[in-house]
């Protein structure tokens, strides 16, 4: 199949490498330093070598892609929508953390719309080498389209489907935002967070899950439902410990942009004060 991957950070690069290695015709669209890296390498460089792909600086609008996979951060997608809309991709799958309603994206691309969430931990090191870990147990990569779940699974990214992606994403964001703040703060300070800060972040998690329920969304999948019911003291303990685990702390290198955007989206959707989330929202 002919596939374009728009945004080749850790997640997009993992999909591009796995899909190309499985025999698909993959085009990666990158910008700035990442474009220089993939152009130099002729594809995605992993610890095992380079997986060859076509490289482009912008999404072609004259190519009949079977799939356009959009893996930029949620707040980066708006300026890309005109070109995505003008493209000839048969399916456009957005794949990122978001708390917003999916209706805007769906309206932009019509019946070509699909959405997914990656169960992948991945980073690009300073030399442009992809380091990735693909989840194969527990919460798997989740998408709205069964065909693409099969394609991803066959390419070594185990995937399942859900009919209620909005509930899935909001459930995930409710815990992900406090967790990402935890590891980002620990990474920046190079030490674990304080107990008082862990309690603040646990309260933010509880407030976020309460908002998800208030909006009428189901807490899914089962693992998210369990996390949502964990008492605040236990949540605080888990965050306190996570901030002291080197592997968890390393993921905080991604910084504050994503959790800040998630909290901002929660506040916009709630249209009311969310004091616990406001207290932990990163300012920079």
């Amino acid at each position: 199949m002919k596939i374009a991957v728009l945004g080749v950070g850790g997640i997009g690069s993992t999909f591009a490498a796995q899909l190309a290695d499985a025999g698909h015709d993959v085009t990666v669209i990158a910008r700035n330093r990442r474009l220089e890296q993939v152009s130099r390498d002729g594809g995605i460089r992993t610890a095992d070598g380079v997986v060859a792909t076509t490289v482009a600086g912008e999404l072609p609008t004259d190519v009949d892609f079977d799939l356009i996979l959009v893996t930029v951060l949620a707040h980066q997608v708006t300026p890309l929508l005109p070109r995505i809309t003008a493209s000839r991709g048969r399916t456009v799958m957005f794949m990122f953390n978001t708390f917003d309603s999916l209706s805007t994206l769906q309206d932009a691309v019509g019946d070509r719309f699909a959405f997914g969430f990656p169960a992948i931990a991945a980073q690009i090191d300073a030399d442009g080498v992809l380091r990735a870990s693909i989840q194969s147990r527990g919460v798997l990569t989740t998408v709205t389209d069964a065909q693409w779940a099969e394609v991803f699974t066959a390419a070594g990214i185990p995937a399942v489907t859900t009919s209620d992606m909005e509930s899935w994403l909001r459930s995930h964001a409710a815990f992900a935002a406090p967790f990402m703040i935890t590891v980002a703060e620990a990474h920046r300070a190079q030490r674990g967070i304080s107990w008082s800060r862990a309690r603040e972040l646990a309260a933010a998690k509880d407030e976020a899950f309460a908002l998800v329920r208030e909006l009428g969304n189901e807490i899914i999948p089962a693992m998210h439902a369990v996390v949502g019911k964990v008492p605040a003291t236990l949540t605080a303990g888990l965050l306190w410990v996570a901030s002291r685990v080197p592997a968890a702390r390393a993921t905080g290198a991604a910084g504050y942009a994503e959790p800040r955007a998630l909290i901002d989206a929660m506040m916009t959707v709630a249209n009311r004060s969310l004091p616990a989330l406001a207290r932990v929202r990163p300012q920079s």
Side-chain angles (χ1 to χ4, degrees), residues 182-261:
T182 296
V183 295
E185 290 183 355
H187 177 79
R188 175 173 287 190
Q190 286 300 295
R191 64 175 183 271
I193 62 172
S194 68
W195 179 247
S196 61
R197 185 57 168 170
R199 292 184 64 182
E200 287 182 341
L201 289 157
K205 184 271 290 186
D206 287 346
E207 186 174 68
F209 272 103
L211 174 61
V212 176
R213 297 185 187 96
E214 177 187 315
L215 293 170
N217 293 111
E218 184 181 359
I219 307 297
I220 56 172
M223 188 174 292
H224 290 157
V226 170
V227 169
K229 294 177 181 177
V230 172
T233 300
L234 180 53
T235 299
L238 293 171
L239 294 173
W240 187 90
V241 170
S243 72
R244 286 160 170 79
V245 175
R249 184 186 295 175
T251 66
Y256 296 116
E258 194 167 1
R260 182 167 53 242

Side-chain angles (χ1 to χ4, degrees), residues 4 8 18 52-53 57 75 80 83 90-91 107 111 114-115 141 144 162 167-168 170 174 223 227 234 256-257 273:
V8 280
Q18 292 292 130
T53 68
H75 64 277
L80 301 175
R83 197 163 188 90
R90 295 185 180 91
T91 299
D107 290 346
D111 60 8
F115 207 100
T141 293
T144 56
T162 181
S167 288
W168 197 105
R170 286 178 170 175
M223 188 174 292
V227 169
L234 180 53
Y256 296 116
S273 174

Side-chain angles (χ1 to χ4, degrees), residues 12-229:
S13 294
T14 303
F15 273 92
Q18 292 292 130
L19 290 164
D21 201 41
H24 298 287
D25 181 357
V26 176
T27 297
V28 297
I29 296 93
R31 296 180 61 190
N32 303 325
R33 184 182 180 190
R34 188 61 179 143
L35 176 58
E36 293 175 5
Q37 291 172 338
V38 292
S39 296
R40 174 200 69 203
D41 295 333
I44 306 300
R45 180 173 293 278
T46 72
D48 297 322
V50 174
V51 181
T53 68
T54 301
V55 177
E58 61 181 2
L59 177 66
T61 57
D62 59 349
V63 177
D64 293 320
F65 290 109
D66 296 291
L67 172 69
I68 297 173
L69 184 60
V70 184
T71 62
V72 298
L73 296 178
H75 64 277
Q76 297 172 326
V77 75
T78 299
L80 301 175
L81 278 179
R83 197 163 188 90
I84 293 171
T85 302
S87 72
R88 284 159 48 177
R90 295 185 180 91
T91 299
V92 178
M93 181 180 291
F94 300 93
M95 186 172 280
F96 43 70
N97 253 331
T98 186
F99 197 86
D100 288 319
S101 168
L102 302 183
S103 59
T104 299
L105 297 175
Q106 189 161 11
D107 290 346
V109 299
D111 60 8
R112 300 183 295 163
F113 173 81
F115 207 100
F117 189 86
I120 295 170
Q123 291 180 313
I124 307 295
D125 71 17
D127 296 323
V129 179
L130 170 67
R131 313 283 181 181
S133 174
I134 299 170
Q135 185 77 18
S136 59
R137 295 181 181 179
V139 177
L140 302 178
T141 293
T142 302
V143 300
T144 56
D145 189 304
Q147 175 195 1
W148 291 106
E150 292 177 5
V151 171
F152 295 159
T153 299
I157 303 175
V160 296
T161 61
T162 181
S163 60
D164 189 358
M165 198 72 211
E166 185 170 276
S167 288
W168 197 105
L169 288 164
R170 286 178 170 175
S171 300
H172 176 79
F175 178 72
F179 178 80
M180 286 189 287
I181 293 168
T182 296
V183 295
E185 290 183 355
H187 177 79
R188 175 173 287 190
Q190 286 300 295
R191 64 175 183 271
I193 62 172
S194 68
W195 179 247
S196 61
R197 185 57 168 170
R199 292 184 64 182
E200 287 182 341
L201 289 157
K205 184 271 290 186
D206 287 346
E207 186 174 68
F209 272 103
L211 174 61
V212 176
R213 297 185 187 96
E214 177 187 315
L215 293 170
N217 293 111
E218 184 181 359
I219 307 297
I220 56 172
M223 188 174 292
H224 290 157
V226 170
V227 169
K229 294 177 181 177

